[in-house]
Amino acid sequence: MTEPIAAQQIRFITRLGAAMGAAHYPVSLIRQMLDRASSAYGVRNDFIALPNYVQVVGPTGAHGTIVEAAHLDHELRFAQMFPLARLVRDAMRGAVRPDDGEAQLDRVLEMPDRFPGWVAVVGYGVQSAGLALVLEPTALNLLVATVLGFLVGLFHVVVQRAGMLQHLLPAVSAFTVTAICLLGAHRLGMDHVNLRALIPPLAMFLPGAAITLAVVELTARDVISGTSRLIAGFVQIAQLAFGILIATQFLGVDGSSLSTDAVNKIGPWAPWLGVLVYAIGVLLFLAPPLSFLPWLVVICYTAFAAQYLGGTVLGSYASGFCGGLVLTVSALAISRRRGAPPTITLILPGFWLLVPGSMGLIGVTELFGADGDSAFPATVISMISVALGLQAGLVLWQLLRLRRSTAPQRAAR
């Protein structure tokens, strides 16, 4: 018996929505896809969209009510977001048949890694070196961040094949990185370790994207999705802080051995070089198409420059807001060009580069240590400032588009 075409359409857009959730799309965009794809296919549907669950209820007809639900229990890799974005665009225009769309979605979900595991390990070491130049440009920190980046990258590649161990990776990596830094500092006769030196090897665990999406969804009244993402983000920060503090207690070191003072012993040009090194590391570690590199470099420098200028003029908290705003508008503008990558693939690496995510880790670590009086509000403000910048960027973009669309009408009058 042939399956009704409506059932094929509903199953396809349900699975596609679940894949979007696994690729860090906000639920507002998932609902937009479901609504526009349903209209394009000529089927009126009701739906529920959550970060890890999508349900679509189709019309009641000769075959009764059609109900489809889907979820993915793992996140999509960065490289999978590129073909997924093209499929989402085609689905919203009704330009792909449901059976062909499902076949394409299966190919996206089954995409093999473009590079072998050792390239990802090297790439993460290079990415860590770039962030070290941005956050703490000293020769010793550059060497340590690179070596520890290789180590954490190796942990990541190995644990990808070990299932449940992935949930322990943030705490284990934080413990290992902190213990090695503290032991090395003691061996070299140093009286403290700067927390900024611990961040580059642990950057992959900073939940900047989760907290950013949480703020976007909460301001859009998606309370369930936003709250769940916000809690998940703070739990991941707490895992990192837990690993750091357990290492200090295990080695009998007090909180005064960890400092947050910024140091630059290489030169004012070092952070700007670090942005380029970071972009190359992202290309190797996340394995997007090679054609993505020029766009990646442009967006990373855009985000960093906006953050740097915002911090210089307005202060450290406002720097995240400025970086998020400029990054979002730039990503949306670039993605409209022919042959440009999808917006979400431009935004994510830029946000991973912004300093407020690192400030959040420092703040929570201090919260559990000696400086808890002011650390918590500092953490909340610094993590949310970049998210509000993204939201402001989206609003500004919509206003610019509205102004452009109404300009011909005013001219006609």
Side-chain angles (χ1 to χ4, degrees), residues 293-317:
L293 181 59
W295 302 109
L296 176 62
V297 171
V298 168
I299 207 67
C300 285
Y301 272 110
T302 300
F304 182 73
Q307 182 191 40
Y308 177 80
L309 293 175
T312 301
V313 176
L314 301 175
S316 60
Y317 291 138

Side-chain angles (χ1 to χ4, degrees), residues 25 46 50 86 97 154 272:
Y25 280 82
D46 296 314
L50 298 172
R86 291 192 292 269
R97 287 169 34 194
L154 180 62
W272 299 93

Side-chain angles (χ1 to χ4, degrees), residues 172-190:
V172 171
S173 298
F175 175 86
T176 304
V177 167
T178 305
I180 291 175
C181 287
L182 290 173
L183 289 172
H186 178 72
R187 188 70 178 265
L188 294 174
M190 301 170 61

Side-chain angles (χ1 to χ4, degrees), residues 68-332:
E68 289 285 347
H71 78 281
L72 290 177
D73 56 3
H74 60 85
E75 295 181 353
L76 263 63
R77 300 191 310 276
F78 188 74
Q80 293 173 297
M81 296 181 186
F82 292 83
L84 177 67
R86 291 192 292 269
L87 184 56
V88 169
R89 180 192 59 206
D90 291 342
M92 289 195 296
R93 294 187 290 112
V96 58
R97 287 169 34 194
D99 53 346
D100 290 340
E102 282 204 84
Q104 291 184 41
L105 182 58
D106 288 336
R107 287 194 291 272
V108 171
L109 298 178
E110 296 168 3
M111 275 180 59
D113 293 328
R114 293 185 63 244
F115 301 138
W118 66 267
V119 175
V121 173
V122 172
Y124 193 69
V126 174
Q127 175 182 317
S128 180
L131 288 176
L133 288 171
V134 171
L135 294 175
E136 185 77 7
T138 70
L140 178 61
N141 187 49
L142 178 61
L143 174 62
V144 172
T146 305
V147 173
L148 291 179
F150 290 148
L151 180 61
V152 175
L154 180 62
F155 286 173
H156 173 76
V157 170
V158 171
V159 166
Q160 291 300 306
R161 306 171 186 175
M164 293 297 293
L165 290 179
Q166 295 183 29
H167 304 302
L168 300 176
L169 186 58
V172 171
S173 298
F175 175 86
T176 304
V177 167
T178 305
I180 291 175
C181 287
L182 290 173
L183 289 172
H186 178 72
R187 188 70 178 265
L188 294 174
M190 301 170 61
D191 59 355
H192 72 278
V193 172
N194 198 308
L195 279 169
R196 293 173 183 270
L198 307 181
I199 292 167
L202 302 175
M204 77 165 79
F205 307 115
L206 294 175
I211 292 180
T212 297
L213 289 175
V215 172
V216 170
E217 291 172 346
L218 287 171
T219 54
R221 298 182 181 273
D222 290 316
V223 178
I224 296 176
S225 300
T227 302
S228 62
R229 289 191 198 270
L230 191 64
I231 293 173
F234 276 107
V235 166
Q236 187 141 327
I237 297 175
Q239 284 184 284
L240 294 174
F242 178 78
I244 292 173
L245 294 172
I246 289 298
T248 59
Q249 291 185 2
F250 180 76
L251 296 175
V253 177
D254 59 28
S256 62
S257 298
L258 299 175
S259 70
T260 61
D261 298 330
V263 179
N264 185 343
K265 294 184 178 179
I266 294 180
W269 51 267
W272 299 93
L273 174 61
V275 175
L276 177 61
V277 176
Y278 166 82
I280 295 172
V282 167
L283 184 74
L284 296 174
F285 178 59
L286 299 179
L290 294 177
S291 60
F292 182 62
L293 181 59
W295 302 109
L296 176 62
V297 171
V298 168
I299 207 67
C300 285
Y301 272 110
T302 300
F304 182 73
Q307 182 191 40
Y308 177 80
L309 293 175
T312 301
V313 176
L314 301 175
S316 60
Y317 291 138
S319 69
F321 179 87
C322 295
L325 189 152
V326 173
L327 170 65
T328 303
V329 174
S330 300
L332 288 165

Side-chain angles (χ1 to χ4, degrees), residues 359-373:
M359 290 174 61
L361 173 58
I362 292 172
V364 171
T365 305
E366 292 179 340
L367 176 65
F368 286 94
D371 300 325
D373 292 340

